[in-house]
Amino acid sequence: MAKELDGFKLEQRHGKARVRVGRVWRSSDQGGNRRHFLVEWKVNISLLSNCLPSYVRDDNSDIVATDTMKNTVYVKAKECQEQLSAEEFAILLGKHFTSFYPQVYTAIVKIVEKPWERVSVNGQPHEHGFKLGSEKHTAEAIVQKSGILQLTSGIEGLALLKTTQSGFEGFIRDKYTALPETRERMLATEVTASWRYSYDSVSSIPKKPLYLNERYLNVKQVLAETFFGPPKSGVYSASVQSTLFQMAKAVLSRFTDISSIQLKMPNIHFLPVNLSSKDNGEIVKFNDDVYLPTDEPHGSIEASLSRFWSKM
């Protein structure tokens, strides 16, 4: 909220960034086995509050110390006796800061979850063994004192590649164009996705345990399946733009509680390799088999898709 001060406009917020927390939950089955569940989160907190005196009168009496915010993350993680999603933890923290401190009217909590995955040994899931995966699960909850909520989930670093069923033709050609047209190329990208849920209040979030974790996994699966197509035949991609749109459309068509989605999909190039010399005209002749992988420079493609009623 902006404040008028002596002819100036002040907008302010403060918080704590990069608070790293690991949480383990343990459950026992009827056989006495104890299975462990692990999350590692990086938490960023930003508070919008009525603390104007700290800026203009050297009066810090309304400031929530950022060290207090850090400690709160660990206390609240300890209080969570049941396993929960990054989204649920972000909402929990947002509710705490906006209800516990009268001067705080909005809390913005962003969480990035490190992708620890349970390992299997001899075909059996290990009870307490984990390995680090690739793509990261992200979440952001903007919680107001009134209970109004904006909730966003996402994926960072979802690396996808297919070795065929991709082309690029019919683009503008001018004196600067050297790229040949093709109906056969490698298609590789690293997807960054974020989607906004239609829930508009804290009380409207489904009460099913780990519902938002399940939704995250389902969205990731739909994105990948749309990119690749059926296992035997695949699906042709006329451009990264076309594939991006189909992926975004598939998510909104499948999940009615998602109101909008944004996708960033760099075109990571695998360049055909042809090698020759003056003495040997064909050391290596490209035949859709030998490539030079490179990610600099790369094409940058991004777009968002939303329903007409979305407040994206």
Side-chain angles (χ1 to χ4, degrees):
M1 183 181 296
K3 296 288 187 180
E4 295 292 338
L5 295 170
D6 300 327
F8 300 98
K9 184 172 72 171
L10 174 68
E11 297 184 14
Q12 56 78 27
R13 64 179 65 184
H14 76 290
K16 197 71 166 181
R18 302 176 69 87
V19 181
R20 295 181 62 181
V21 57
R23 182 62 160 98
V24 175
W25 292 275
R26 299 170 177 85
S27 66
S28 299
D29 59 21
Q30 294 179 346
N33 299 314
R34 289 176 61 81
R35 171 162 288 195
H36 293 196
F37 300 88
L38 165 73
V39 294
E40 181 184 341
W41 290 324
K42 182 171 67 178
V43 182
N44 291 344
I45 300 163
S46 187
L47 301 185
L48 282 65
S49 63
N50 296 312
C51 57
L52 198 61
S54 66
Y55 290 89
V56 299
R57 293 201 297 270
D58 298 335
D59 177 358
N60 296 330
S61 58
D62 287 328
I63 287 287
V64 181
T66 65
D67 188 68
T68 300
M69 299 181 204
K70 177 202 69 177
N71 295 340
T72 301
V73 171
Y74 297 116
V75 172
K76 292 302 177 182
K78 176 67 174 179
E79 290 176 355
C80 294
Q81 297 303 306
E82 300 293 332
Q83 188 181 359
L84 77 170
S85 66
E87 290 86 353
E88 290 169 316
F89 191 59
I91 293 169
L92 184 152
L93 289 173
K95 287 173 59 179
H96 167 79
F97 287 116
T98 54
S99 62
F100 193 77
Y101 299 102
Q103 68 273 34
V104 175
Y105 53 87
T106 302
I108 303 170
V109 183
K110 299 180 181 180
I111 296 179
V112 177
E113 181 173 324
K114 208 164 184 176
W116 290 107
E117 301 171 348
R118 189 177 304 279
V119 300
S120 292
V121 177
N122 296 327
Q124 295 293 321
H126 202 281
E127 296 295 329
H128 55 265
F130 299 85
K131 67 180 180 66
L132 193 60
S134 53
E135 65 274 359
K136 297 176 181 178
H137 177 181
T138 64
E140 180 186 75
I142 303 176
V143 182
Q144 297 184 29
K145 191 179 288 292
S146 63
I148 293 175
L149 172 70
Q150 294 179 29
L151 183 63
T152 304
S153 295
I155 297 171
E156 290 181 357
L158 177 61
L160 304 175
L161 179 151
K162 59 182 185 179
T163 55
T164 188
Q165 288 281 50
S166 173
F168 191 50
E169 301 175 285
F171 50 88
I172 293 173
R173 304 201 68 86
D174 55 37
K175 63 181 181 180
Y176 303 106
T177 304
L179 182 70
E181 297 189 2
T182 182
R183 286 191 61 82
E184 179 58 46
R185 66 172 182 173
M186 188 96 74
L187 179 59
T189 189
E190 190 170 280
V191 179
T192 298
S194 62
W195 53 93
R196 171 89 174 269
Y197 288 100
S198 56
Y199 310 118
D200 57 6
S201 67
V202 171
S203 61
S204 65
I205 298 294
K207 301 301 187 288
K208 179 182 177 183
L210 296 175
Y211 172 82
L212 293 168
N213 261 4
E214 181 180 328
R215 177 63 81 239
Y216 164 80
L217 294 173
N218 289 340
V219 170
K220 183 171 71 169
Q221 181 178 359
V222 167
L223 290 171
E225 289 177 351
T226 308
F227 178 89
F228 293 117
K232 295 296 185 183
S233 60
V235 62
Y236 182 73
S237 170
S239 64
V240 178
Q241 287 87 340
S242 173
T243 297
L244 182 154
F245 174 73
Q246 293 301 326
M247 291 165 68
K249 182 180 176 184
V251 169
L252 292 189
S253 298
R254 174 79 175 272
F255 307 110
T256 58
D257 59 349
I258 294 177
S259 60
S260 59
I261 183 169
Q262 182 182 54
L263 292 174
K264 298 180 181 179
M265 292 175 53
N267 188 6
I268 300 174
H269 302 300
F270 278 67
L271 305 177
V273 173
N274 286 292
L275 294 180
S276 62
S277 69
K278 183 170 64 175
D279 299 325
N280 187 342
E282 293 183 3
I283 300 175
V284 172
K285 182 174 176 58
F286 178 69
N287 189 28
D288 300 328
D289 51 7
V290 180
Y291 299 84
L292 170 63
T294 177
D295 57 5
E296 294 181 351
H298 62 243
S300 178
I301 296 92
E302 59 183 272
S304 59
L305 189 68
S306 59
R307 305 182 195 279
F308 280 112
W309 49 263
S310 171
K311 298 179 181 179
M312 184 176 184

